[in-house]
Amino acid sequence: AQFDAETFARMAKEAAVSSMTVFARCHHGWLYYPSPRFPSHPHLSRNLLGEMLDAFALDAPGEGPVIDP
């Protein structure tokens, strides 16, 4: 399946989601974003984490995601 940022943001808005946790790393340790230090998921050729975060920024300009390490 292909990730679609607009659909992702629209579905969250339609479901009245007020909080969501998105992960930067899978349970095997692969990253969902490009990194010079650590390996990205071998089946991803895109910055999935970045696209998820950007989707919320597009839907709520000026609000954007809150990143809590």
Side-chain angles (χ1 to χ4, degrees):
Q2 296 296 318
F3 174 76
D4 181 89
E6 289 180 17
T7 301
F8 181 67
R10 187 184 76 247
M11 290 179 72
K13 186 174 185 175
E14 289 174 1
V17 172
S18 62
S19 177
M20 180 185 295
T21 300
V22 293
F23 294 91
R25 183 182 300 244
C26 77
H27 65 285
H28 293 293
W30 301 110
L31 301 180
Y32 294 141
Y33 61 94
S35 169
R37 280 188 77 192
F38 302 103
S40 296
H41 196 288
H43 298 289
L44 283 179
S45 59
R46 59 200 290 181
N47 182 352
L48 182 60
L49 177 64
E51 290 181 39
M52 287 189 284
L53 297 178
D54 288 346
F56 291 112
L58 289 173
D59 193 54
E63 295 177 31
V66 175
I67 300 174
D68 187 8

